[in-house]
């Protein structure tokens, strides 16, 4: 399968790239600086494209010929540079990509959203993710909206913290251990994406 994956150099994106390659898929890795992925494979096609400048359908169409599936992994916790915003990166550019993919005849689209991006969403982060989720659900394509909670694993921001906490003789529990939290290992997220892309896996599903 030919897969276009956005946010390829991110924590989740890189894990998904590796999982896709391991299963023999050809991957167009889309991000601002594909060279940062530091992976060499004949199955990889680099595509340098900035989500901060990709909110038009016409921007995406030339890159979607022959693409069977799209996986969108772009996400930020907070804007860190000029041109970045939740609305631009989580809503406008993904929506343009999804609509372009539908026009180009892409068979499946997988959106990495977030737990909490639902009808009760209040934060700018969750509302921007929800906007893209809702737009994808309206398209005539096999879609999957995946909503992981806290994603952890080697290379993630929380990894060093978890290792340090695990080494303590006493484990501190925030708020006495009462908060509900359902962390997921990054390789399990990648495996879920690959499962969605399998032939016969029916789409149009939101999965927490």
């Amino acid at each position: 399968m030919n897969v276009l994956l956005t946010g390829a150099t991110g924590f989740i994106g890189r894990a998904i790239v590796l999982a896709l390659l391991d299963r023999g898929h050809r991957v167009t890795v889309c991000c601002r600086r594909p060279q940062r992925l530091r992976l060499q494979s004949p199955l990889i096609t680099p595509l340098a494209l900035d989500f901060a400048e990709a909110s038009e359908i016409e921007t995406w169409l030339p890159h979607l010929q022959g693409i069977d599936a799209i996986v969108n992994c772009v996400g930020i916790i907070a804007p860190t540079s000029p041109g970045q915003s939740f609305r631009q990166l989580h809503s406008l550019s993904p929506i343009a990509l999804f609509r372009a993919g539908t026009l180009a005849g892409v068979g499946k689209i997988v959106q990495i959203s977030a737990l909490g991006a639902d009808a009760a969403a209040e934060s700018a982060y969750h509302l921007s993710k929800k906007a893209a989720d809702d737009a994808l659900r309206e398209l005539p394509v096999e879609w999957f909206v995946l909503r992981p909670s806290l994603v952890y694993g080697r290379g993630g921001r929380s990894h060093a913290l978890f290792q340090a906490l695990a080494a303590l003789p006493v484990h501190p529990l925030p708020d006495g251990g009462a908060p509900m939290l359902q962390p997921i290992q990054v390789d399990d997220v990648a495996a879920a994406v690959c499962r969605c892309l399998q032939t016969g896996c029916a789409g149009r599903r939101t999965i927490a």
Side-chain angles (χ1 to χ4, degrees), residues 76-77 85-92 94-95 98 111-137 145 147:
I76 57 172
I77 300 301
S85 69
F86 290 131
R87 182 171 180 266
Q88 177 67 39
L89 272 61
H90 291 174
S91 301
L92 298 182
I95 290 171
F98 300 157
Q111 155 80 336
I112 304 297
S113 185
L115 204 62
D118 50 32
E122 295 182 356
S123 72
Y125 172 87
H126 287 99
L127 288 169
S128 62
K129 282 286 189 180
K130 181 180 182 297
D133 299 351
D134 290 345
L136 176 58
R137 293 190 189 97
V145 174
R147 290 177 171 171

Side-chain angles (χ1 to χ4, degrees), residues 4-25:
L4 184 141
L5 185 142
T6 65
T9 55
F11 171 54
I12 295 176
R14 180 182 171 84
I16 295 175
V17 170
L18 291 172
L20 291 171
L21 294 176
D22 187 58
R23 290 160 175 79
H25 296 296

Side-chain angles (χ1 to χ4, degrees), residues 36 137 160 189 194 199:
R36 288 189 175 181
R137 293 190 189 97
V189 176
C194 292
T199 302

Side-chain angles (χ1 to χ4, degrees), residues 150 157-174 181:
L150 174 66
R157 294 182 180 182
S158 61
H159 183 72
L161 173 62
F162 287 160
Q163 281 192 316
L165 291 175
L168 294 175
V170 177
H171 292 174
L173 298 177
L181 185 65

